[in-house]
Amino acid sequence: MVGDPSDRPCKLVVCRGCCCGTKKKVPGVDHKAQLKRLSGIEDHEGRPVPVRVSKCLGICFKANVVVVQPSSKGRAGGGRPVWLGDFTEDRLVDELDDWLFQGGPGVVPVPEPLEPHLTSKDAKKPKKKKLKKQLKKKRKQAEKARGERTAAPAEGGKGKKGAKGGRSADEGGGKDAKKSKGKKKKKKK
């Protein structure tokens, strides 16, 4: 007997192919146990949430990927499939379980712990140049913050220890102080 199509539960599509679900791409995750847990999720009426395994959902850089398809009620309420990426932690399975138990997409908003994992089938992999630029910017900010900490003298009139040479620039440490000492030695000879 086929269930009433107007009362279907949410469905999950779980990527397990070239990247998702592999120790090479996502180490430190028990992928089989995760799939087993996802397959054991039930909705508020005690119905099992169907799980379909896909070979590839196309956004491999977001491995592991899970798509939550809304229930009939959720679809009627305006719910659309929700794509979740970087789905690698047990706590995320717990959050997903709770969300589906409450009704899922179109019935209940995405829980806050799942929001950082929202993605889409059209997600674009960040370009390497952009990543390098972001890293360079972060390094500059860190260097600036370090410079501000070492430049401010501590109580008692002595500077804090710097990153190089164990002394602040005021105490004669650092690269520039070493260069100037070297020049002085040359002049004395």
Side-chain angles (χ1 to χ4, degrees), residues 4-17:
D4 182 5
S6 64
D7 192 28
R8 290 189 189 140
C10 291
K11 297 177 188 175
L12 297 177
V13 179
V14 180
C15 188
R16 289 292 187 267

Side-chain angles (χ1 to χ4, degrees), residues 15-172:
C15 188
R16 289 292 187 267
C18 65
C19 298
C20 294
T22 64
K23 289 185 182 197
K24 183 178 178 183
K25 178 76 175 187
V26 189
V29 176
D30 187 346
H31 300 284
K32 288 181 182 178
Q34 185 187 63
L35 183 58
K36 187 175 181 178
R37 284 191 66 203
L38 290 169
S39 298
I41 294 176
E42 294 181 347
D43 69 3
H44 67 283
E45 293 181 19
R47 299 177 296 188
V49 173
V51 175
R52 190 182 82 193
V53 176
S54 171
K55 288 194 180 208
C56 186
L57 291 172
I59 54 171
C60 300
F61 67 97
K62 287 287 194 178
N64 290 344
V65 178
V66 175
V67 181
V68 183
Q69 296 177 336
S71 63
S72 301
K73 183 179 177 183
R75 181 74 68 175
R80 296 293 172 253
V82 174
W83 287 63
L84 301 168
D86 301 315
F87 202 85
T88 57
E89 301 170 49
D90 287 338
R91 69 175 182 82
L92 298 175
V93 177
D94 294 336
E95 291 293 336
L96 179 62
D97 188 354
D98 291 344
W99 184 41
L100 294 179
F101 186 80
Q102 295 170 5
V107 177
V108 180
V110 175
E112 191 175 319
L114 293 178
E115 285 180 1
H117 299 274
L118 290 173
T119 187
S120 74
K121 65 181 179 182
D122 301 323
K124 301 289 182 206
K125 184 175 182 178
K127 294 184 180 185
K128 288 183 181 180
K129 285 183 181 179
K130 192 173 186 177
L131 288 175
K132 284 182 183 179
K133 224 179 204 182
Q134 289 172 349
L135 286 173
K136 192 174 181 180
K137 185 177 178 181
K138 285 182 182 180
R139 283 188 197 126
K140 281 185 179 181
Q141 288 173 344
E143 286 174 12
K144 184 179 178 183
R146 268 195 306 260
E148 289 173 0
R149 285 194 300 258
T150 57
E155 287 184 39
K158 292 186 178 181
K160 292 183 181 179
K161 289 187 177 186
K164 294 186 181 182
R167 294 182 254 166
S168 70
D170 296 338
E171 295 176 358

